[in-house]
Amino acid sequence: LQKGIMLQNACATEKARDMSLTQDSIAQYRNNGSIRRYVGSLLFVDISGFTILSQNYPVEDFRKFINGYFEMIIDRVNSFGGDVIKFAGDALYALWPSD
């Protein structure tokens, strides 16, 4: 099961490029005060082939796998001083502030 799992860095995924904001949309958020400058590192982690994996394994087995997978990732993020800030389906975002 784990053979089909890959961790992907945000700068290397198509999803990250799709989420990029244009200068106009950034200015719109900056003007209403809902955006602020933050210096740090963001990690985007996604399971490659998640849909196919979820369709090919029994629900209970897959639930145990995905819970264990997220637990492992969260533990690693926390052990290096990061914070998981968002879950999005089979993906998560983690943030490390710069000192």
Side-chain angles (χ1 to χ4, degrees):
L1 176 63
Q2 291 183 343
K3 249 182 165 176
I5 306 305
M6 290 177 46
L7 300 179
Q8 298 177 335
N9 189 311
C11 65
T13 66
E14 191 65 37
K15 288 181 182 180
R17 286 188 288 277
D18 291 343
M19 294 185 317
S20 65
L21 298 173
T22 65
Q23 290 299 320
D24 290 340
S25 62
I26 291 172
Q28 172 191 347
Y29 288 107
R30 187 175 290 135
N31 291 339
N32 73 16
S34 63
I35 195 170
R36 60 189 163 114
R37 185 174 299 267
Y38 186 88
V39 179
S41 298
L42 177 70
L43 173 70
F44 173 77
V45 179
D46 181 59
I47 299 176
S48 180
F50 178 82
T51 301
I52 293 169
L53 287 171
S54 67
Q55 293 170 345
N56 290 315
Y57 289 91
V59 172
E60 187 60 24
D61 292 345
F62 196 70
R63 183 191 64 79
K64 288 177 184 176
F65 163 74
I66 199 72
N67 286 344
Y69 167 80
F70 278 128
E71 185 177 323
M72 178 190 68
I73 298 297
I74 292 166
D75 287 348
R76 296 299 288 172
V77 168
N78 290 335
S79 72
F80 285 96
D83 292 306
V84 174
I85 59 171
K86 183 174 183 160
F87 289 93
D90 64 313
L92 67 79
Y93 296 84
L95 187 65
W96 285 264
S98 290
D99 294 331

